[in-house]
């Protein structure tokens, strides 16, 4: 068993960063030459799902090997000696933001444990809404936690199961979890992929030269030249071993409710999630946004807030029959580490990341399209920048409905009192952001973009950030409120020196 040393400090998040943090990305490949190199490529494609840390675990037929690093995939696993460091024909990988647990190396995945049945490496995307409850129970029974990540609780549950076979132990552990998750696990013989009973977090199955691949998004399959086979279904466990592929249904049947925010923001535009092209859905969101919010204004040009606003802005411009122009240029070579926690430096930081294209903006009535607006801090600066570039009018449209409620399934969003739309009317938001008009896509419009009509009694998607309709019970939150304690969505009391 080999481990990397902690050698890098995570960059501080810009306090005014207005984007929701993506959850994590997971990847796994079974019985394939150069498995760790393939996994590193897959993680490259999933880098957008987590940029604080990454890790790979491999198995060489006798031993497990792991490396876990703070920072980017390319920096951690870009060397030519990767196959020597992480040998074997099986590997899993993870790229993460800290949702449960802080930004410390001990929380970086994959996590590994020597169990009675042998070694197990596990990588997990999402958040368990009963993690604190499980942890309290496990600690009371003598478990010792080495991290503050909810993923470690899964290892303890598997280790404590008394079922005779490993898959039965694994299944028993899965049946105790609540929340939204997708995970990949590797033993000395098996690669396992599991998706939560509602399918909140995504997971796909691919084929690489006849061998199984699991990944959070199809873009990772494209990166390694694998063929997309299908989505892992909600509540499904797929096992790849020397017997081939087997599918299990360890959970009671439920209606699927995948996360609709994958389509709004998280997934890469070139991915296909639950059978739908992210790019095409976002263009449809823009089209519907134009239909809903053009009345009463006259505009000259449609400008996306790059990069995530581009597909929706394209759809908006096509529907509105107005020019689509890159009025804001993004600099891709500025890291978050540069941003300093002072007001003046933050202003400069926005200008370093986004620059106005004066030739497009000057003298024009500009309509800006952004993918979503959380706190509005970044929007204020973008609007000011566009006005200073000479725009005659500035109108802002959000290609998602107003974000009104926090998340508990792996998305790092502010609490409700910090969400702009939860505390202000649309007219107030327009004044706060300094725009001539403000508009949001409706919830109905978002479902229209998905070729659906929302069933209010049984919503087809997880959409609580817009509706307050949470798809599961929130056990940790309920218990904390019952004790009149501070509601913790994340556990991060361990601090590494």
């Amino acid at each position: 068993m080999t481990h990397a040393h902690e050698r890098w400090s995570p960059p501080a998040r810009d306090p005014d960063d207005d984007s929701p943090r993506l959850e994590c990305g997971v990847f796994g490949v079974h019985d394939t030459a150069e498995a760790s190199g393939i996994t590193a490529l897959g993680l490259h494609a999933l880098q957008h799902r987590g940029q604080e840390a990454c890790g790979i675990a491999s198995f060489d037929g006798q031993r497990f090997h792991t490396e876990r690093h703070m920072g980017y995939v390319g920096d951690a696993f870009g060397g030519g000696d990767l196959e020597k460091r992480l040998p074997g024909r099986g590997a899993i990988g993870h790229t993460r933001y800290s949702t449960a647990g802080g930004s410390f190396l001990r929380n970086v995945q994959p996590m590994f444990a020597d169990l009675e049945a042998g070694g197990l490496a596990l990588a997990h995307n999402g958040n368990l809404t009963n993690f604190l409850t499980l942890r309290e129970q496990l600690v009371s029974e003598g478990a010792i936690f080495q991290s503050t990540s909810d993923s470690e609780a899964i290892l303890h549950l598997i280790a404590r199961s008394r079922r005779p076979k490993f898959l039965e132990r694994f299944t028993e552990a899965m049946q105790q979890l609540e929340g939204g998750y997708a995970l990949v696990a590797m033993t000395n013989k098996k690669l396992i992929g599991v998706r939560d009973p509602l399918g909140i977090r995504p997971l796909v199955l691919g084929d690489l030269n006849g061998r199984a691949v699991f990944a959070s998004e199809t873009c990772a399959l494209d990166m390694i030249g694998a063929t997309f086979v299908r989505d892992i279904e909600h509540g499904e466990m797929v096992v790849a071993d020397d017997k081939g592929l087997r599918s299990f249904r360890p959970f009671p049947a439920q209606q699927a409710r995948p996360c609709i925010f994958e389509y709004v923001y998280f997934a890469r535009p070139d991915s296909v999630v639950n059978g739908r092209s992210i790019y095409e859905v976002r263009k449809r969101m823009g089209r519907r946004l134009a239909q809903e919010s053009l009345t009463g204004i006259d505009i000259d040009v449609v400008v996306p807030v790059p990069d995530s606003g581009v597909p929706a802005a394209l759809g908006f411009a096509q529907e509105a029959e107005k020019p689509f122009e890159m009025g804001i240029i993004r600099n891709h070579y500025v890291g978050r580490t540069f941003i300093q926690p002072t007001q003046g430096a933050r202003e400069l930081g926005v200008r370093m990341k986004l620059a106005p294209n004066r030739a497009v903006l000057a003298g024009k009535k500009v309509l800006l399209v952004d993918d979503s607006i959380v706190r509005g801090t970044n929007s204020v600066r973008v609007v000011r920048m566009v006005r200073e570039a000479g725009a005659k009018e500035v109108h802002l449209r959000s290609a998602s409905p107003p974000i009104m409620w926090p998340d508990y399934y792996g998305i790092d969003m502010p609490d409700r009192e910090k969400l702009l739309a939860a505390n202000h009317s649309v007219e107030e938001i327009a004044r706060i952001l300094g725009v001539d008009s403000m508009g949001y896509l409706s919830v109905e419009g978002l479902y229209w973009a998905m070729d659906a009509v929302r069933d209010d009694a049984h919503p087809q998607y997880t959409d609580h950030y817009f509706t307050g309709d949470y798809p599961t019970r929130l056990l940790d939150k309920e218990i904390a409120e019952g004790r009149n304690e501070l509601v913790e969505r994340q556990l991060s009391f361990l601090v590494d020196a």
Side-chain angles (χ1 to χ4, degrees):
M1 184 73 191
T2 59
H3 292 278
H5 297 291
E6 185 161 8
R7 61 188 185 190
W8 188 87
S9 297
R13 183 177 183 181
D14 175 6
D16 287 334
D17 184 358
D18 193 34
S19 57
R21 284 286 183 94
L22 292 78
E23 327 90 8
C24 300
V26 296
F27 185 92
V29 61
H30 176 65
D31 191 21
T32 300
E34 301 181 340
S36 59
I38 290 169
T39 299
L41 282 174
L43 294 182
H44 268 291
L46 299 173
Q47 184 77 84
H48 61 288
R49 298 188 71 88
Q51 298 172 37
E52 284 183 353
C54 54
I56 294 175
S58 70
F59 180 69
D60 66 5
Q62 292 184 315
R63 293 197 306 164
F64 287 85
H65 306 260
T66 70
E67 278 194 23
R68 301 180 295 162
H69 300 271
M70 306 305 296
Y72 296 125
V73 175
D75 295 333
F77 300 115
D81 62 342
L82 186 59
E83 297 304 321
K84 292 181 180 178
R85 288 153 45 195
L86 294 167
R89 294 182 61 86
I92 64 172
H94 190 264
T95 181
R96 87 185 288 266
Y97 275 130
S98 57
T99 49
S103 301
F104 314 116
L105 188 61
R106 68 179 70 189
N107 288 328
V108 179
Q109 302 178 40
M111 292 193 167
F112 177 84
D114 266 314
L115 306 179
E116 182 182 8
L120 174 68
L122 184 144
H124 163 254
N125 163 218
N127 231 42
L128 305 181
T129 55
N130 65 335
F131 166 52
L132 299 177
T133 306
L134 286 173
R135 186 185 180 282
E136 193 174 272
Q137 171 194 328
L138 288 163
V139 169
S140 72
E141 295 171 358
I144 299 173
F145 277 74
Q146 298 296 316
S147 77
T148 59
S149 169
D150 49 2
S151 309
E152 189 177 0
I154 302 172
L155 293 175
H156 282 289
L157 291 172
I158 297 168
R160 286 169 176 261
S161 173
R162 299 273 57 90
R163 297 290 178 87
K165 296 182 179 179
F166 172 78
L167 281 181
E168 293 174 352
R169 296 181 182 187
F170 191 90
T171 297
E172 185 177 57
M174 294 297 102
Q175 290 169 340
Q176 298 176 67
L177 308 182
E178 298 179 18
Y181 58 87
L183 63 85
V184 292
M186 180 177 63
T187 72
N188 58 356
K189 295 179 180 178
K190 306 178 191 302
L191 181 69
I192 305 169
V194 188
R195 198 171 176 191
D196 67 76
L198 296 176
I200 297 174
R201 301 269 69 89
L203 190 65
V204 297
L205 171 65
D207 181 284
L208 181 64
N209 302 321
R211 302 302 188 211
V213 181
F214 297 118
S216 291
E217 293 183 36
T218 59
C219 62
L221 304 180
D222 297 335
M223 174 69 82
I224 65 168
T227 303
F228 170 72
V229 177
R230 63 178 178 86
D231 288 279
I232 304 299
E233 296 185 12
H234 61 291
E236 183 183 18
M237 179 171 77
V238 177
V239 178
D241 56 19
D242 56 7
K243 299 177 183 176
L245 276 177
R246 290 174 289 163
S247 173
F248 300 88
R249 297 284 184 170
F251 310 107
Q254 298 188 56
Q255 175 186 312
R257 284 188 66 175
C259 172
I260 207 165
F261 225 94
E262 291 284 345
Y263 301 91
V264 171
Y265 179 75
F266 287 139
R268 251 176 49 167
D270 54 327
S271 283
V272 176
V273 176
N274 301 305
R276 298 195 175 277
S277 160
I278 296 296
Y279 180 79
E280 291 300 330
V281 169
R282 289 178 186 166
K283 280 188 69 177
R284 284 176 59 85
M285 289 160 56
R287 283 179 52 198
R288 180 60 178 253
L289 182 62
Q291 294 168 12
E292 293 182 351
S293 64
L294 263 179
T295 305
I297 64 168
D298 180 34
I299 61 171
D300 299 318
V301 63
V302 177
V303 171
V305 178
D307 288 326
S308 51
V310 170
L314 270 171
F316 192 109
Q318 290 171 1
E319 183 69 22
E321 298 182 344
K322 296 290 183 179
F324 167 91
E325 299 287 355
M326 298 302 293
I328 302 171
I329 307 301
R330 182 178 177 187
N331 179 0
H332 292 267
Y333 304 100
V334 177
R336 289 181 296 121
T337 50
F338 188 87
I339 307 304
Q340 301 298 320
T342 65
Q343 185 69 18
R346 286 180 214 151
E347 295 281 353
L348 288 173
V350 171
R351 291 180 179 275
M352 290 190 67
K353 291 186 285 187
L354 301 174
N357 186 352
R358 294 178 185 274
V360 167
L361 301 172
K364 301 290 179 58
K365 298 175 182 178
V366 177
L367 188 136
L368 296 173
V369 178
D370 207 347
D371 60 88
S372 59
I373 296 169
V374 183
R375 290 180 299 165
T377 48
N378 196 56
S379 300
V380 169
R381 293 185 172 85
V382 170
V383 169
R384 184 184 303 140
M385 180 178 67
V386 171
R387 286 199 185 278
E388 289 174 355
K392 187 176 179 181
E393 294 179 12
V394 182
H395 305 269
L396 180 61
R397 297 293 182 268
S398 167
S400 83
I403 297 174
M404 307 280 284
W405 302 87
D407 182 76
Y408 297 89
Y409 304 101
I411 304 171
D412 183 10
M413 283 185 184
D415 292 322
R416 186 164 163 79
E417 60 267 18
K418 295 180 182 178
L419 294 171
L420 188 65
N423 298 282
H424 299 281
S425 68
V426 174
E427 293 75 18
E428 289 172 338
I429 291 170
R431 288 196 293 273
I432 291 168
L433 300 183
V435 292
D436 294 282
S437 74
M438 178 69 209
Y440 290 89
L441 182 65
S442 66
V443 172
E444 296 75 19
L446 179 56
Y447 271 75
W448 177 89
M450 301 289 296
D451 284 318
V453 176
R454 190 178 194 269
D455 180 349
D456 293 339
H458 304 284
Q460 303 94 309
Y461 294 95
T462 289
D463 59 12
H464 53 273
Y465 4 79
F466 311 127
T467 65
D469 188 343
Y470 290 92
T472 73
R473 70 172 181 168
L474 304 173
L475 184 61
D476 289 342
K477 179 175 181 290
E478 292 166 7
I479 289 176
E481 288 175 342
R483 296 172 177 172
N484 200 27
E485 296 174 350
L486 179 68
V487 178
E488 289 189 79
R489 287 190 290 133
Q490 300 184 18
L491 181 72
S492 54
F493 54 80
L494 273 178
V495 179
D496 286 354

